[in-house]
């Protein structure tokens, strides 16, 4: 039997090494020419509590973990409970569990044609005198055999992982792998995946890619403060920046972090920070001075469940309103959103392009799923991506420098941007301020001047909107009668959904503000039914699109709080019920 | 980069044409003059200087200099100055602001700027009042003054800025007052030349909300550090800083080699 | 000649005492049974620079300073420039200026039938051996005579003001007043105002009234950090709280201020803070934990021009989006807005009522005009105002206490509020957290639990909206063909406007969120034309109302940046042009 | 209010039924136990106690106590605790949290809480790491450890918590470690009884991200203050705090009458 996707779950707790085993599977898949995606989930315990890893491998690119598991390894039935809402069994699921497990099978693990295989994990290790710690490698072996993957790939993977360890360690692990690989006597009838091309691909998380692509896009300064689920961006870019002569500061809080970013950017250096909801809320005042002083800044927000501390490890799309509207006063900004791991690459280029070109703050709304997923991806192209540079002022022979020059106001081609003279440039000294000011940057409390400067600052958005009018994707048949709009990780769930629902088309904006309104209107034209699907309680995108006049009351609002990805079953139900 | 020695700049070369908004008699005028004198003394090309401030009367200062400047947010001069200095170590970066800016809303950034020890000179213009918002008690307002004026926070003892900086590990700590421009400009120049974080506590009168009594008290009590005072002896520094708010001059100074632990000071981000 | 309103402007700089003289006029008007309103304006200088005071006195309540001045005192023609956009002359304006003033009359002071009266201020004082400082009292005397007001009222006012000074001081000032009062030999033909009732009324600013009404409404704790134009709220309530056993802390920043408020409120004490835009932005994260832990808090935002530091002393309505939408996650809140000084009273009662009853954060959007205006007001009624108390839990005999009890979820009458057990209550100990939690307050990372708690938190808003559905005003003829919506200080300008435009009706919400939608729909039904008028660049109320589906593209968006109040002339022009 | 003496409460009476989420071996378990022992020692009615924390592994502590608790925002335990204590001086208010909570994002509130000197006992559980966010360097992480683990901020010297508190004027400063529950519970009890702001610096190991080496180092070096040490002698305190991070016990204590300058401690807001 051949299929093009397989879905695995590993569930256990501290010491079981479920994440380690799952990562080895992913690395092996990447080595074989398969695609795959992996997410993790935790119980309430800080470390050592229940944890689950979900892996989907596929012959084609895959960005969303599959709903119904084909193979489940569960080390303790009592560990399943925290994950009961997020795992579902395929009808013919294979379940591996310890031989010693005496408890009744939990409801969630039941399935019509369940194949239940007890494994004496403990005994197997003990028999060979292997330490407890080798369990994850042994489990990796068992799974590899069950998947029917070649032993060689598994061995290569282990050699790689332990390449910096002693030979003794390597051979012990190879032995554990071997025991696992040969344990199952009867063949498990899992379908076989045949890679379309034998090529080694890369395994990377959304956060890692955000960091790397930021540097590729020109980022040379980072300041941040740790917060789940964004910290890996700082940790990754910390390794990358020194290689390109960049600098990083770990700040004492998020206000300082974005402040440092603005300081570096004032110095002419493309700069960014990354955070999650609570940190983003703290950055609100600083975002305003970025708008006001026209100093570029890129801010990545890995959205988690809110409000307040919420659920730090789980994704939600409820920071949208904050990104669009937060901050006292009228403060222009741009808001972008990747929809999966690989699109983080494009998004980061767009972010630096817009920030540097239009001299304003750019928010990137990632989320916990995109941030933390490990995905096998193809080589990423950089050519063709926008890579704007800041328009600097080098002197114009004598006439005084105007930081916020309005000289071209009457030129319809002017995009509102005034060239910036960087510190160090002779003859163009000036001071900028968050206080309202005139062309020279001089403080002004004149109301008419304020209106003029507001016009200048927002003029940039008009031209930016023109440039980004095509920053969206359409999936499915654009003339299908049911048209759906979604963004972020929810969009990739819907992308998958529309491939099997031919009566549906999907619109995914890459930029949320300014929204590609004209494109959306085109997309919706002639629809018999339209829905906005999102993961937050209030329907933030829905109301935003209504505020723009782009949709009316006939479009459905389909939303619920975050924390769990939509499954196809749930989407079936939601579309059946119809939205509010 | 211009050669430092081709021309000799005058203090007025560092002033732009804007008229300060400060009240007549405000101490900040003298601080502004002292900035320009220090720059002229070191003959730094205008374009190599960047001054970052927060919000307050005092934080308007960069706007009157013919250098680069960033008049940021209340309390946030230090993070922004640090980002700038980290990205552009080729610039001479100074920060300035008021007592409220540094010791109320900005309190959290001060110890960490000190720990990172960037080559920044930070001048706090301490009028012991929130000037710009019309005279509320700041963290440095004396209890007696609060009591007299009926200000909020009478029970709270004032922050001791130089001692705060020293305790947090600042390698260069000095104090003077706006009435002594010679000393102030000299200390600013010393701070700039010092290869680490230099903190200068400058008493500067707010004639409008603190009143002239403030300057009179300074004038009455001000004195140099004792002749035998050793600003490298931490015990002596501790004793002086806790007991004597009117000793002026360099109060603490770490030997230069200990101070400059960031080896990479002059390479800007590529 | 009788009229029912007179509009004065006093323009000078440090030492001229324009504000002092203007205040004396207002105090005298209050004493005579007249109404009045006074605003101030400053040039860029911190103190001692140009300043102007605008006074309107009236036989009827008046909330907006008049556009065209009947009497102007200008001490230096060069001082006029910063105010050129905000003063306009009546055709028959009377201008008093120093005899010594040599400069040409500035454009703005010109008028068709200008009556120009040079006054030897300096000489008059010198002749009597009076000090410079007495000038404001002398000017007060001159104006009083020009207005034709009885000398006795002026004398009483002076005795009052200097009541704590020595007899010598009082008599010197009475002398200065006398000189002024008898100076003008020829009678100025200013119209006479006859009070309808001789009664002493109160002169108060919006900020002072916010503070006083908060205490009347039950506020017993305040924490704040100074910021223009809100600081007087803290300064006033600092005097009031000790008298009722309340406490106040001046915080080190706005984050601490709102934190202290939440701490006090957790202790069961109704608490508030007051700030302006920059401080509000800093409070964003704390607002979220107020929503999440269901701990009441009242936050007054005196809006000024933004973004960033903006123009601190001038009003704008550009914090609306922030108030409605800021903060990561879905975080319920209520947003109120007074429209003038006296309505601050009602608004503060509403604010404490909603915060305490529904256990959520309540924002009050005042603005620099309301905050800083001095208005003569009638006695304020407290009966009939909402005065909800927090529903506390006193024990129910044994069963465990559930802080976020959902027991009544299926009861359609349940408003979502769970009774709170205050620290100190035996048997109901519990811990609350900004982390998502279950009924008991125990931390939960369960996505379904999160949805359930979101429903609970937002259920409160549904019931709150029902209660506040009638919190709005309609001015003018409700069947007029042109229907206008406005809020805050802009609403009072429009209230005045519709009194002279009979083809217009005005809808003013007292509560902005949840918005009284049904009432607005009723109001707009059958309109031939409708406009949303506001003072911000983006049309924040307009887009918000569209997002709610309450208005559609046919309603006009009429907005511009803040900084200056709309004049009637400008409104004429704007309505003529029509909105976007 | 219950009579303090009618019943004698046991430490376990202050624990609720929730199982902590902490890793096995985490020092915070011992801190939790020490809280309950201190409460039992003073026999405080459960309902009179309120514990306010920030965010971090350590800040989960109030959730396991059968008292009132508020697990607030990262870095904000002190403002919220101060508001509560000001409004409800009749309660016994404690604050707790981690080294990141207090000395990174919370830095700005610490000196001001000290200046206001409310009757709050503040226990900082210092594992010298950001535990909850998986092991980044905190302001108290040693340079050697940062170097070894490749953590960010290697150049920055660590904050010295007890010295920080002392320098800011905290009237009661103590230090111990989670390995010494007897001392910790005694110090918490002393802190509660002390009528002003009591700061307790408690070293508490993060087995997961700091590793057991942290505890071993503590065990190796820990010792009581010298026999002749006088915690009222500020010079001696200065010398000890700057030189000896492992001296345990009460490090500084202002005489009681000087400490309690808020005369109005027990009258709640009406
Ligand atoms: C976030 C924020 N909070 C409050 C203010 C209002 N504010 C402006 S300046 C200032 C304090 C001024 O005192 P200080 O820093 O000592 O400077 P000074 O005016 O005395 O020179 C305050 C509270 C603000 N601008 N931003
Ligand atoms: C505003 C904000 N920024 C960042 C975080 C992420 N965060 C949670 S706990 C923590 C630090 C934990 O370290 P510490 O305070 O020392 O406590 P520990 O976990 O070590 O006990 C951080 C950075 C947050 N919750 N909120
Ligand atoms: S208010 Fe005080 S600090 Fe501000 S300019 Fe005037 S004198 Fe100077
Ligand atoms: S991560 Fe560290 S601090 Fe957190 S619970 Fe585990 S051992 Fe304790
Ligand atoms: Mg000051
Ligand atoms: Mg820690």
């Amino acid at each position: 039997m051949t299929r093009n996707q397989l879905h695995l779950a590993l569930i256990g707790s501290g010491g079981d090494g479920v994440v380690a085993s799952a990562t080895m599977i992913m690395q092996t898949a990447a080595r074989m020419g398969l695609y795959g995606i992996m997410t993790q989930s935790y119980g309430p315990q800080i470390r050592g509590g229940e944890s689950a890893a979900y892996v989907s491998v596929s012959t084609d690119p895959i960005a969303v973990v599959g709903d119904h598991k084909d193979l489940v390894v569960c080390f303790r039935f009592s560990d399943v409970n925290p994950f009961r809402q997020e795992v579902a069994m395929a009808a013919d699921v294979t379940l591996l569990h310890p031989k010693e497990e005496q408890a009744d099978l939990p409801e969630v693990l039941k399935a019509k044609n369940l194949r239940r295989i007890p494994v004496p994990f403990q005994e197997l290790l003990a028999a060979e005198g292997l330490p407890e710690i080798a369990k994850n490698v042994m489990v990796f072996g068992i799974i590899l055999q069950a998947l029917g993957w070649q032993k060689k790939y598994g061995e290569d993977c282990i050699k790689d992982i332990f390449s910096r360890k002693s030979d003794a360690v390597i051979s012990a692990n190879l032995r554990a792998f071997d025991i696992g690989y040969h344990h199952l006597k009867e063949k498990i009838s899992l379908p076989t995946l045949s890679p379309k091309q034998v090529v080694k691909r890369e395994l990377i998380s959304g956060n890692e890619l955000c960091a790397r692509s930021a540097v590729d896009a020109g980022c040379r300064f980072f300041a941040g403060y740790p917060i789940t689920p964004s910290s890996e961006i700082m940790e990754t870019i910390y390794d990358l920046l020194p290689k390109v002569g960049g600098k990083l500061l770990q700040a004492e809080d998020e206000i300082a972090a974005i402040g440092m970013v603005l300081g570096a950017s004032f110095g002419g250096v493309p700069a960014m920070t990354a955070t999650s909801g609570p940190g983003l809320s703290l950055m609100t005042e600083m975002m305003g001075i970025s708008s006001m002083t026209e100093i570029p800044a890129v801010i990545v927000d890995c959205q988690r469940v809110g409000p307040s501390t919420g659920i730090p490890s789980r994704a939600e799309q409820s920071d949208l309103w904050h990104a669009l509207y937060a901050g006292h006063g009228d403060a222009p900004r741009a808001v972008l959103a990747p929809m999966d791991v690989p699109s983080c690459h494009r998004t980061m280029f767009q972010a630096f392009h817009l920030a540097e070109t239009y001299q304003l703050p750019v928010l990137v709304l990632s989320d916990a799923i995109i941030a933390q997923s490990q995905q096998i991806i193809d080589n990423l192209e950089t050519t063709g991506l926008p890579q704007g540079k800041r328009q600097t002022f080098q002197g114009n022979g004598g006439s005084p420098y105007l930081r916020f020059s309005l000289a071209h106001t009457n030129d319809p081609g002017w995009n509102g941007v005034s060239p910036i003279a960087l510190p160090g440039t002779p003859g163009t000294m000036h001071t900028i301020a968050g206080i309202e000011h005139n062309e020279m940057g001089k403080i002004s409390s004149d109301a008419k001047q304020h209106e003029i400067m507001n016009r200048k600052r927002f003029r940039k958005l008009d031209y930016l909107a023109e440039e980004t009018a095509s920053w969206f994707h359409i999936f499915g048949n654009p003339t299908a009668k049911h048209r759906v709009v979604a963004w972020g990780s929810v969009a990739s769930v819907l992308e998958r959904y529309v491939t099997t629902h031919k009566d549906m088309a999907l619109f995914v904006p890459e930029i949320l503000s300014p929204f590609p309104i004209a494109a959306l209107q085109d997309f919706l034209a002639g629809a018999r039914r339209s829905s906005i699907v999102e993961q937050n309680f209030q329907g933030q995108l829905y109301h935003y699109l209504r505020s723009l006049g782009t949709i009316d009351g006939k479009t459905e609002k389909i939303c619920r709080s975050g924390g769990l990805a939509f499954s196809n079953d749930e989407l079936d139900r939601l579309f059946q019920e119809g939205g509010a | 980069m211009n050669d430092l020695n081709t021309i000799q700049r005058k203090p007025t070369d560092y002033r732009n044409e804007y008229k300060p908004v400060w009240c007549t008699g405000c101490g900040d005028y003298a601080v502004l003059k002292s900035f320009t004198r220090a720059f002229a003394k070191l003959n730094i090309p205008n374009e190599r200087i960047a001054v970052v401030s927060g919000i307050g009367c005092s934080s308007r200062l960069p706007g009157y200099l013919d250098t680069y400047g960033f008049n940021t947010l209340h309390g946030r001069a230090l993070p922004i100055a640090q980002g700038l200095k980290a990205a552009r170590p080729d610039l001479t970066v100074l920060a300035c602001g008021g007592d409220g800016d540094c010791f109320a809303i900005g309190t959290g950034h001060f110890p960490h700027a000190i720990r990172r020890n960037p080559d920044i000179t930070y001048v706090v213009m301490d009028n012991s009042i929130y000037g710009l918002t019309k005279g509320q008690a700041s963290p440095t307002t004396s209890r007696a003054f609060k009591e007299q004026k009926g200000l909020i926070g009478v029970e709270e003892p004032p922050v001791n800025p130089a001692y705060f900086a020293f305790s947090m590990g600042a390698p260069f700590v000095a104090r003077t007052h706006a009435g002594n421009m010679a000393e102030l400009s000299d200390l600013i120049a010393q701070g700039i030349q010092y290869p680490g974080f230099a903190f200068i506590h400058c008493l500067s009168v707010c004639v409008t909300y603190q009143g002239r009594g403030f300057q009179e008290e300074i004038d009455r009590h001000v004195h140099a550090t004792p002749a035998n005072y050793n600003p490298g002896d931490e015990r002596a520094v501790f004793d002086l800083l806790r007991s004597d708010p009117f000793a002026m001059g360099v109060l603490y100074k770490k030997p230069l080699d200990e101070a400059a632990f960031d080896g990479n000071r002059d390479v800007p981000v590529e």
Side-chain angles (χ1 to χ4, degrees), chain A, chain B:
Chain A
M1 195 176 70
T2 346
R3 249 175 57 190
N4 57 3
Q5 294 188 351
L6 270 183
H7 310 301
L8 284 60
L10 290 85
I11 299 168
S13 50
D16 292 328
V18 296
V19 175
S21 307
T23 306
M24 290 181 239
I25 297 165
M26 288 292 288
Q27 284 172 340
T28 308
R31 190 178 290 270
M32 287 167 62
L34 289 171
Y35 292 91
I37 174 113
M38 164 182 154
T39 61
Q40 302 167 38
S41 187
Y42 299 96
Q45 191 125 347
I46 311 271
R47 256 301 269 263
E50 307 84 353
S51 86
Y54 308 120
V55 170
S56 289
V57 286
S58 167
T59 53
D60 298 295
I62 179 169
V64 181
V65 152
D67 294 342
H68 295 97
K69 308 305 174 195
D70 301 297
L71 175 67
V72 172
V73 184
C74 177
F75 290 102
R76 222 160 290 96
F77 290 168
S78 59
D79 287 341
V80 166
N81 198 42
F83 313 111
R84 66 189 182 286
Q85 290 163 16
E86 54 197 45
V87 277
M89 303 296 118
D92 57 351
V93 61
T94 301
L95 170 68
L96 302 180
H97 65 82
K99 223 179 91 191
E100 305 78 31
E101 179 60 76
Q102 300 294 336
D104 286 347
L105 198 64
E107 204 52 44
V108 53
L109 293 180
K110 291 181 179 160
K112 207 160 65 178
N113 306 318
L114 172 76
R115 173 191 200 100
R116 193 172 157 171
I117 307 181
V119 182
F121 296 106
Q122 228 43 58
E123 285 168 37
L124 287 173
L125 285 171
E128 292 285 324
L130 286 166
E132 174 85 34
I133 198 172
K135 184 159 130 192
N136 54 33
V137 176
M138 187 182 68
V139 170
F140 169 52
I142 297 176
I143 295 174
L144 224 63
Q145 184 200 15
L147 292 168
W149 292 1
Q150 287 179 36
K151 195 172 164 198
K152 171 185 163 303
Y153 285 116
E155 286 167 350
D156 287 352
C157 172
I158 288 165
K159 285 180 202 152
D160 233 42
I161 289 175
F162 296 100
S163 62
R164 285 142 155 248
K165 300 283 161 133
S166 69
D167 287 353
V169 169
I170 297 177
S171 72
N173 277 291
L174 285 172
R175 204 139 47 83
F177 173 71
D178 197 66
I179 298 167
Y181 197 83
H182 292 110
H183 170 67
L184 295 181
K185 298 304 169 227
E186 39 169 350
K187 179 85 189 75
I188 300 182
S189 58
L190 282 179
T192 322
L193 299 191
S194 308
K196 297 191 167 156
Q197 194 190 359
V198 179
V199 56
K200 190 173 169 188
R201 293 205 180 80
E202 192 178 10
L203 177 64
I204 196 165
S205 74
N207 276 345
E208 288 161 350
L209 190 54
C210 265
R212 201 176 72 187
S213 301
V215 173
D216 291 346
C219 176
R220 289 297 176 271
F221 182 87
F222 184 97
Y225 187 73
I227 188 166
T228 306
S230 86
S231 305
E232 297 83 10
I233 296 180
M234 176 159 72
E235 284 152 5
T236 306
I237 209 165
Y238 179 60
D239 291 336
L240 300 176
L241 278 177
K243 297 177 190 156
V244 293
K247 295 259 175 80
L248 181 143
L249 292 173
Q250 182 176 312
E252 57 273 25
D253 62 22
E254 288 86 351
I255 298 176
I258 172 83
M260 289 164 173
V261 163
L262 290 178
S265 183
F266 172 62
V269 174
M272 84 166 192
T273 186
T275 187
S276 184
L280 189 69
S281 282
L282 284 173
M283 292 181 183
T284 309
E285 192 196 9
M286 280 281 180
M287 271 167 46
I289 199 172
S290 168
S291 300
M292 187 64 148
T293 57
E294 308 190 37
I295 294 294
V298 172
I299 304 164
V300 178
D301 170 30
C302 298
Q303 296 171 98
R304 61 193 223 186
V305 165
S308 198
T309 307
I311 309 179
S313 60
R314 294 183 177 271
E316 191 165 71
Q317 302 188 297
S318 56
D319 296 356
L320 176 61
W321 278 357
H322 183 89
L324 296 170
Y325 299 116
H328 63 283
D330 290 292
R333 73 203 65 185
V335 183
L336 301 166
M339 63 181 283
D340 54 17
V341 173
S343 63
C344 290
H345 180 66
R346 190 174 156 77
T347 305
M348 293 313 298
F349 273 82
Q350 294 172 329
F352 277 93
H353 167 75
L354 295 181
E356 294 290 321
T357 304
Y358 294 97
Q359 304 183 5
L360 41 64
V362 175
L363 283 109
V364 173
L365 293 183
S366 177
D367 67 39
I369 290 180
I370 296 171
Q372 302 281 344
S373 295
Q374 298 274 347
Q375 189 172 335
I376 299 169
I377 60 168
D378 286 309
N379 271 341
L380 295 165
E381 280 298 329
T382 294
T383 45
L385 293 182
Q387 301 191 41
K389 290 258 163 302
R390 208 179 305 185
Q391 203 186 330
T392 55
F393 186 91
Q394 311 287 3
N396 63 354
S399 66
Y401 170 66
L402 305 177
R403 167 63 186 99
F404 304 104
S405 172
L406 301 167
H408 300 287
T409 303
N410 295 326
D411 173 354
W414 184 51
N415 66 0
V417 174
S418 312
I420 184 167
L422 300 179
T425 314
T428 50
M429 285 74 70
H430 65 279
T431 289
I432 56 171
I435 310 177
E436 191 54 286
H437 40 254
N438 64 14
E439 281 185 279
M440 296 181 286
K442 195 188 168 199
I443 290 171
S444 162
S445 55
D446 181 309
K448 297 229 166 104
Q449 182 70 43
H450 172 48
E451 170 75 16
I452 289 168
M453 295 316 276
N454 264 341
R455 283 203 196 122
K456 172 197 194 300
R457 290 188 290 263
F458 280 91
R459 181 172 185 153
K460 297 190 293 184
L461 277 192
D462 293 340
Y463 286 76
L464 191 157
E466 234 173 70
E467 180 182 351
T468 60
S470 62
W471 290 13
F472 62 88
H473 300 285
I474 290 175
F475 298 98
N477 171 8
T479 62
K481 60 180 193 289
H482 188 176
R483 317 262 168 90
V484 178
V485 182
W487 64 286
S489 65
V490 170
S492 43
V493 176
L494 278 146
E495 182 192 351
R496 178 184 65 179
Y497 190 82
V498 299
T499 57
T500 55
H501 291 76
K502 299 299 178 195
D503 59 337
M504 274 188 159
L506 173 67
F507 183 95
V508 180
E510 291 182 331
I511 184 164
L512 294 163
S513 181
F515 199 91
I517 296 180
L520 179 57
Q521 265 155 348
D522 279 359
F523 172 77
L524 293 177
R528 279 232 239 125
R529 183 182 173 190
S530 57
S531 322
I532 314 293
V533 182
E534 55 189 317
Q535 259 189 32
N536 53 57
F537 188 80
Q538 295 175 94
Q540 299 192 357
L541 181 65
Y542 171 84
H543 285 289
Y544 168 55
L545 291 176
R546 291 207 68 174
S547 82
L548 298 175
T550 314
I551 59 168
D552 61 20
K554 290 191 290 288
T555 296
E556 297 165 351
K557 174 174 89 171
I558 295 188
C559 62
R560 65 144 163 86
S561 308
L564 278 183
F566 287 116
S567 66
N568 283 352
D569 294 349
E570 187 182 8
L571 288 172
D572 285 345
R573 186 174 55 71
L574 289 170
F575 285 125
Q576 209 127 49
E577 287 171 4
Chain B
M1 205 197 292
N2 291 358
D3 184 345
L4 273 176
N5 297 314
T6 46
I7 44 165
Q8 176 54 52
R9 296 169 188 79
K10 300 180 301 299
T12 50
D13 292 337
Y14 296 95
R15 267 286 273 128
N16 63 17
E17 70 279 16
Y18 302 145
K19 180 173 168 290
V21 294
W22 295 316
C23 308
T24 313
C26 177
D28 297 349
Y29 285 101
V31 182
L32 174 61
K33 273 219 174 93
S34 304
F35 267 76
T36 64
R37 285 194 194 174
F39 297 157
K41 185 175 215 160
L42 303 176
N43 200 23
I44 311 172
N46 300 46
E47 68 272 13
R48 312 299 319 162
I49 302 172
V51 184
V52 180
S53 66
I55 291 286
C57 294
S58 41
S59 289
R60 292 284 178 92
L61 188 142
Y64 309 126
L65 288 170
D66 190 36
T67 65
Y68 287 92
F70 198 166
N71 180 184
T72 69
L73 296 179
H74 192 36
R76 314 301 172 194
L78 285 179
I80 291 179
Q82 287 172 86
L84 176 60
K85 183 70 191 177
R88 293 291 307 276
D90 56 310
L91 299 173
T92 297
V93 176
L94 294 93
C96 71
D99 41 315
D101 208 60
C102 180
F103 296 112
I105 193 166
T107 316
H109 305 303
F110 189 60
H112 295 285
I114 291 173
R115 288 176 61 223
R116 291 184 196 104
N117 195 24
D119 186 6
I120 292 174
T121 302
Y122 184 28
V123 181
V124 171
M125 294 139 86
D126 179 5
N127 52 19
S128 298
I129 206 80
Y130 293 149
L132 192 60
T133 50
K134 311 199 171 179
Q136 300 84 2
S138 91
T140 60
T141 309
S142 74
R143 297 181 60 184
F145 188 79
K146 287 187 271 195
E147 188 125 40
Q148 177 197 331
K149 295 275 178 181
L151 302 183
I152 305 173
V154 184
E155 322 73 29
E156 296 159 30
V159 162
N160 179 338
Y163 177 58
F164 191 174
F166 165 71
S167 308
M168 296 299 106
F172 181 101
V173 180
R175 179 165 53 213
T176 186
H177 64 114
N180 189 345
M181 278 197 274
E183 184 171 61
L184 178 54
S185 54
D186 178 57
L187 289 173
I188 295 172
Q190 281 194 52
I192 292 172
Q193 290 182 300
Y194 188 84
F197 188 81
F199 173 68
I200 299 170
H201 180 216
C202 175
L203 297 166
S204 175
V205 69
C206 170
V207 289
T208 303
Y209 298 108
Q210 258 283 3
R212 311 216 176 242
F214 191 72
Q215 186 63 47
E216 283 159 20
E217 201 184 332
I218 295 169
D219 291 339
R220 201 158 46 238
H221 295 296
V222 68
H223 57 89
T225 54
N228 62 350
Y229 181 70
N230 174 3
D233 172 355
E234 303 196 342
R235 264 265 201 106
V237 176
F238 173 76
D239 288 342
L240 183 85
L241 289 183
R242 285 181 68 105
S243 61
D244 182 350
F246 291 104
M248 304 279 151
V250 176
L251 303 176
Y252 178 65
K253 191 169 172 181
K254 240 192 206 155
L256 286 186
D257 53 333
E258 287 179 38
F261 53 63
D262 178 354
N264 191 20
R265 294 208 176 271
D266 291 319
V267 190
V269 164
E270 281 154 29

